[in-house]
Amino acid sequence: MKQDNRLFQLRKMKWLALALLVAMAVLFVVSRLYGRTGIWAWIGAFSEAAMIGALADWFAVVAIFRHPLKLPIPRTAIIPENKDKIAENLAVFIRDNFLSRETMTMRMRDWDPARRIANWLSSRENADFLADKVVRVLIGALAFVDDQRVGKLMRNAIYRNLEELDLGNLIGQLMDVLTHNNQHQALLDVGLRRISSVLDEPGTRKQLATVIIEVSRREYPKLIKMLGLVMDTEEFGIRVAGTLVESIQLWLHDIGRDPNHPRRRQFDELASRFIGKLKSDPEYHARIEGWKRQFLGTPVVAEYFETLWVQFRKWMQRDAAGDDSEMKHRLSRTFRRFGRWVLENPSMTESINDQIVMMTGAMSEEIRSTVSQHIVLTVRNWDSRSMVRELELSVGKDLQFIRINGTLVGGIIGVALHAVVLLFPM
């Protein structure tokens, strides 16, 4: 529809320019018939110069797009004859003026991409939209996956990584991290407090008393019978349990209060010795490797790893198909939190912008080269007739004004020359 309208406007302007030329020709003929005297001399001078101007500008306008009257006149059909040169010059112009490193980085920084993206993500509607698209793409990709083959590949990958993993050394390094800056002593304090709180519970004392009586009856039956003659064995057990708990509590409190307690030093030595063996003792390594191989060789473990992917995929498909998808909700919340976090931290916004600007600058040369080559190849591959037709529809209407202006300006010049001849006769 738009092209039809442009074609109509172009034809309209062509007919108008042609009509003006025909009018000038009629005036010229009429002025000749009246002998070119008086006012007709002025009209004749105007119409004669106007025709020359109209024809000259018609030739110039037509020569841009095609050969006038289909005659192979040199330096005509400028656009189709110079298509390759135009492509190269256009590519260079766009490359140097729009895709320079300085221009691209300046525009990118002015655009403030981090804040724009964060603002967009902060909207629940946008975050939900993006989460839905991500999940759709993921589920669509899963539809092309061979479950059995992927399951085997996953199992093999897990097995291969576990077999290559030095588990003893890894555990030793992990323990190193846990004991850094005496963090294991803090863990010991937590354990002491937990044991103390458990011992303070009434149920613990009662259970401990029961155990004491049972062991005493089994190991020392005669003593318990004699004791039963003078007092209740249940009460005896509770008293012994209470005394035992109080003693243990005092001992635990001593360890907790004294950072140099012998038991703490003993715990340090035990942890250090254990970590050292994990990291360097071949016997420990061999034992751990044996446990690992035994674990990997269990049929149930192999089956579990092989079916892990299938189970995970089915869960994802069920979740995505539901109206209340957990994956979509979680993704949406993550996007929104990230957007708000960036907006609330100007330093983070600036850092992200700096990284994007840096990446833009680093990629500028590649972008310039790629875009330039694309422009050159695209223009060169254009059909000459189609290209000329499109350009003529785009600017041809305005070019017809050149013909109209040429007609009128030529006529004015003709009148001016006629006046000069009358004022300065030869």
Side-chain angles (χ1 to χ4, degrees):
M1 189 67 181
K2 183 178 179 181
Q3 183 172 354
D4 292 342
N5 184 59
R6 289 189 301 169
L7 181 59
F8 172 77
Q9 294 294 332
L10 175 61
R11 287 176 176 175
K12 179 181 176 181
M13 293 305 300
K14 281 185 175 182
W15 280 108
L16 180 59
L18 179 61
L20 191 57
L21 173 60
V22 171
M24 294 301 104
V26 170
L27 284 177
F28 177 74
V29 171
V30 172
S31 67
R32 283 289 183 177
L33 293 176
Y34 281 92
R36 299 193 66 171
T37 57
I39 189 64
W40 290 109
W42 293 91
I43 293 174
F46 177 85
S47 59
E48 183 177 5
M51 284 193 299
I52 294 172
L55 291 172
D57 286 340
W58 166 82
F59 182 89
V61 170
V62 173
I64 295 175
F65 301 106
R66 58 183 62 85
H67 296 295
L69 301 176
K70 297 185 179 181
L71 298 175
I73 302 172
R75 303 297 179 182
T76 59
I78 295 173
I79 290 177
E81 293 292 337
N82 294 274
K83 187 174 67 171
D84 292 349
K85 189 181 295 184
I86 291 172
E88 293 173 1
N89 291 336
L90 178 63
V92 170
F93 175 78
I94 293 177
R95 182 194 67 194
D96 294 343
N97 291 277
F98 298 97
L99 299 177
S100 66
R101 182 187 183 95
E102 295 76 13
T103 301
M104 292 177 66
T105 54
M106 182 182 66
R107 296 300 182 195
M108 185 60 71
R109 187 171 294 281
D110 291 343
W111 190 60
D112 194 5
R115 187 169 298 279
R116 288 176 179 269
I117 295 172
N119 272 322
W120 190 86
L121 286 175
S122 298
S123 166
R124 183 183 183 88
E125 181 180 356
N126 294 333
D128 288 346
F129 170 80
L130 183 59
D132 180 68
K133 294 302 178 184
V134 171
V135 171
R136 285 177 181 271
V137 170
L138 183 60
I139 297 302
L142 291 177
F144 296 95
V145 173
D146 184 338
D147 285 344
Q148 187 175 5
R149 183 176 299 177
V150 172
K152 289 182 179 179
L153 289 174
M154 179 176 288
R155 183 200 64 186
N156 293 337
I158 294 173
Y159 270 42
R160 185 167 56 253
N161 284 285
L162 287 177
E163 286 174 353
E164 295 174 357
L165 180 65
D166 187 350
L167 197 56
N169 189 48
L170 178 63
I171 296 174
Q173 292 177 357
L174 179 61
M175 294 295 293
D176 263 343
V177 173
L178 294 176
T179 57
H180 182 66
N181 291 332
N182 285 330
Q183 293 182 79
H184 62 298
Q185 291 291 346
L187 184 63
L188 176 62
D189 289 335
V190 173
L192 292 174
R193 287 194 295 270
R194 180 58 182 162
I195 294 172
S196 179
S197 63
V198 170
L199 290 174
D200 282 335
E201 294 175 1
T204 303
R205 296 194 179 199
K206 186 176 181 180
Q207 187 176 8
L208 186 59
T210 303
V211 171
I212 291 173
I213 296 300
E214 289 180 354
V215 172
S216 299
R217 284 174 176 169
R218 185 174 61 251
E219 300 294 332
Y220 309 102
K222 293 182 179 181
L223 178 62
I224 293 300
K225 285 181 179 180
M226 292 176 61
L227 188 62
L229 296 174
V230 295
M231 66 181 300
D232 185 7
T233 56
E234 295 276 343
E235 183 181 352
F236 172 76
I238 291 175
R239 286 182 180 182
V240 172
T243 303
L244 182 60
V245 166
E246 288 175 3
S247 300
I248 294 174
Q249 289 283 35
L250 289 174
W251 181 64
L252 293 177
H253 289 321
D254 287 342
I255 297 174
R257 284 194 301 266
D258 185 3
N260 297 315
H261 195 280
R263 294 296 172 263
R264 284 189 179 274
R265 291 197 299 271
Q266 187 179 10
F267 182 64
D268 278 337
E269 294 172 0
L270 178 64
S272 177
R273 188 163 57 250
F274 179 66
I275 293 172
K277 287 186 176 182
L278 282 174
K279 295 173 67 175
S280 59
D281 192 325
E283 183 180 350
Y284 266 63
H285 277 231
R287 190 180 303 173
I288 293 174
E289 286 297 313
W291 293 338
K292 184 178 72 175
R293 285 192 296 271
Q294 184 179 0
F295 172 77
L296 294 177
T298 304
V300 176
V301 174
E303 183 180 352
Y304 171 75
F305 280 135
E306 192 164 333
T307 59
L308 185 63
W309 165 255
V310 178
Q311 296 171 357
F312 178 66
R313 175 187 168 181
K314 288 181 179 178
W315 174 84
M316 291 180 65
Q317 289 175 330
R318 285 196 305 269
D319 181 78
D323 295 331
D324 193 24
S325 172
E326 181 66 21
M327 282 191 299
K328 292 179 184 178
H329 289 322
R330 287 183 178 274
L331 278 175
S332 179
R333 284 197 300 270
T334 301
F335 292 147
R336 293 199 304 274
R337 287 173 182 171
F338 177 76
R340 289 194 295 269
W341 178 62
V342 172
L343 291 175
E344 292 168 359
N345 293 273
S347 58
M348 178 56 62
T349 304
E350 185 177 352
S351 176
I352 294 175
N353 280 334
D354 288 343
Q355 294 299 319
I356 295 176
V357 169
M358 190 182 303
M359 291 172 57
T360 303
M363 297 171 59
S364 60
E365 289 301 322
E366 184 177 353
I367 294 173
R368 293 179 65 193
S369 175
T370 302
V371 173
S372 299
Q373 293 176 6
H374 176 70
I375 292 173
V376 170
L377 292 175
T378 301
V379 175
R380 283 179 177 175
N381 290 330
W382 279 349
D383 176 65
S384 297
R385 290 184 180 180
S386 300
M387 182 181 70
V388 167
R389 188 62 174 169
E390 184 61 30
L391 289 173
E392 194 171 15
L393 287 173
S394 300
V395 299
K397 174 186 173 182
D398 296 323
L399 292 178
Q400 299 309 310
F401 279 105
I402 296 176
R403 294 175 58 187
I404 296 173
N405 292 336
T407 302
L408 299 177
V409 171
I412 293 171
I413 293 173
V415 170
L417 291 175
H418 183 67
V420 169
V421 170
L422 292 179
L423 290 174
F424 306 101
M426 299 297 292

